[in-house]
Amino acid sequence: ESRLSEAEQARASVDDAVTSVKSEFSDYQSQVNDTLDGVLDELNSQQQTDEREWLHAEVAYLLRLANQRLQLERDVGGAMALLETADKRLKEADNPALLPVRRAVADELAKLDAVPKVDRTGLYLSLNAQQEHLASLPLKQDVAEIAAEGKIETPPSGDWQQQLKRFGSELKDLVTVRRHDQALEALITPEQESYLRQNVRLVIEQAQLALLKEEPELYRASLDKAVTLIKGYYDTDRDSVKTSIARLSEMRDKTIRPALPDISGSQQAMAHFMQTRFDAGAQGGDA
């Protein structure tokens, strides 16, 4: 019950953290939008502002938003969609000076496309299915057998050494010894069985929390512990138990937090283009 309470508290903490991050990102995005609106209003107020300035400002905003989406939300798909939209706007500009920006965007799209896809929902549901399945699988009951038959009916006679010798001889007939390569586990009580099954359930829940929080070390350690418990206490001669071990081991090797590439190159290239254009305009030229 204590472990369950801790798990529920940890889950509540994760939910609070996610809510806090979403709120902070929403505020930050609102500030960015307000800043962009101010820049666009300023551009609109200038008499000599042409359509190209609007397009350049839009591209710069899209590239900046793609970086934010990747860094704050780790949203690879969203970042790719924003980069593709920015590239379409660059294509519409039809300006050879923007070629370095488009080259950087193409390179970043290729890097993002190579990032391994993580199906967190599928992994979470698979872990939940294994959790429910293990609750019904049999445990080991491999213990030394002690014969219940045979009693010492003849009254003891002779001196104590003869009685002890006879008692030892009869005791050997009552006990069957089996040799194993590993130490045997004693039979467990129903209460111990319930605790064991609950422990397996908790470590799998811990793996699920690590999956949602994108903590690969805790995720792998939790599933390693679950597999160790199953191998130690479940009936591994059953095919169903073997299948569960194989499935958990397979999920343990899944990448849940892939490394993300740096996609700031296109944003820097666009900023350089706009600065060069501004400097040229200040000197009376045309970029």
Side-chain angles (χ1 to χ4, degrees):
E1 291 177 355
S2 176
R3 293 286 297 277
L4 281 173
S5 178
E6 291 175 1
E8 292 175 356
Q9 291 176 0
R11 183 178 298 173
S13 298
V14 171
D15 293 338
D16 292 341
V18 171
T19 302
S20 177
V21 170
K22 288 183 177 179
S23 177
E24 291 177 4
F25 177 73
S26 178
D27 294 340
Y28 181 73
Q29 189 174 17
S30 177
Q31 293 176 4
V32 171
N33 291 336
D34 292 342
T35 302
L36 179 64
D37 291 340
V39 173
L40 294 178
D41 290 340
E42 184 178 350
L43 288 174
N44 190 35
S45 64
Q46 298 177 5
Q47 295 180 355
Q48 296 182 352
T49 299
D50 58 23
E51 185 178 351
R52 290 176 298 177
E53 302 296 339
W54 287 92
L55 188 145
H56 298 158
E58 182 183 3
V59 171
Y61 171 71
L62 290 170
L63 296 177
R64 182 166 58 250
L65 192 58
N67 272 270
Q68 294 169 0
R69 183 68 62 86
L70 187 66
Q71 294 172 8
L72 297 179
E73 299 185 17
R74 298 181 62 85
D75 184 0
V76 175
M80 290 184 68
L82 289 165
L83 288 179
E84 290 171 350
T85 302
D87 188 60
K88 291 179 181 179
R89 298 293 184 269
L90 291 170
K91 182 179 179 181
E92 293 173 4
D94 194 22
N95 186 348
L98 290 169
L99 183 60
V101 183
R102 295 198 66 189
R103 185 184 297 116
V105 170
D107 180 62
E108 290 163 1
L109 283 171
K111 291 179 179 178
L112 289 174
D113 190 53
V115 175
K117 305 298 187 294
V118 180
D119 182 11
R120 289 188 181 83
T121 301
L123 278 175
Y124 187 95
L125 294 176
S126 295
L127 287 171
N128 195 67
Q130 289 301 317
Q131 189 181 68
E132 299 299 328
H133 183 54
L134 286 166
S136 61
L137 294 183
L139 301 179
K140 286 182 178 178
Q141 298 295 340
D142 189 8
V143 294
E145 291 183 358
I146 299 178
E149 298 179 356
K151 295 182 181 179
I152 302 177
E153 298 180 351
T154 306
S157 60
D159 57 22
W160 66 270
Q161 292 179 335
Q162 293 176 336
Q163 293 180 26
L164 182 61
K165 182 178 179 181
R166 182 179 173 222
F167 177 75
S169 176
E170 293 179 345
L171 184 62
K172 286 202 301 185
D173 295 334
L174 295 176
V175 179
T176 300
V177 178
R178 289 183 177 179
R179 299 188 180 277
H180 296 265
D181 294 334
Q182 298 179 353
L184 292 173
E185 298 290 340
L187 286 168
I188 62 176
T189 65
E191 292 78 9
Q192 291 172 326
E193 177 179 347
S194 176
Y195 174 78
L196 171 63
R197 293 185 184 277
Q198 190 62 33
N199 203 22
V200 173
R201 186 180 189 90
L202 285 173
V203 293
I204 294 180
E205 283 188 0
Q206 185 172 264
Q208 289 176 309
L209 287 174
L211 171 66
L212 297 178
K213 294 170 62 178
E214 297 185 4
E215 296 181 2
E217 293 183 2
L218 179 59
Y219 174 78
R220 290 192 293 267
S222 299
L223 290 184
D224 283 340
K225 185 175 181 180
V227 170
T228 300
L229 288 172
I230 296 169
K231 288 181 177 180
Y233 296 100
Y234 280 72
D235 187 359
T236 52
D237 292 333
R238 300 289 187 94
D239 290 338
S240 55
V241 176
K242 293 178 181 178
T243 301
S244 289
I245 293 175
R247 182 60 180 144
L248 289 174
S249 299
E250 178 185 347
M251 288 188 285
R252 183 260 184 207
D253 295 331
K254 294 289 186 180
T255 300
I256 66 170
R257 186 182 176 88
L260 299 179
D262 180 12
I263 62 170
S264 62
S266 59
Q267 186 179 354
Q268 295 172 4
M270 190 64 195
H272 176 73
F273 167 81
M274 295 179 70
Q275 185 62 44
T276 301
R277 183 179 177 84
F278 176 80
D279 293 342
Q283 297 173 4
D286 187 10

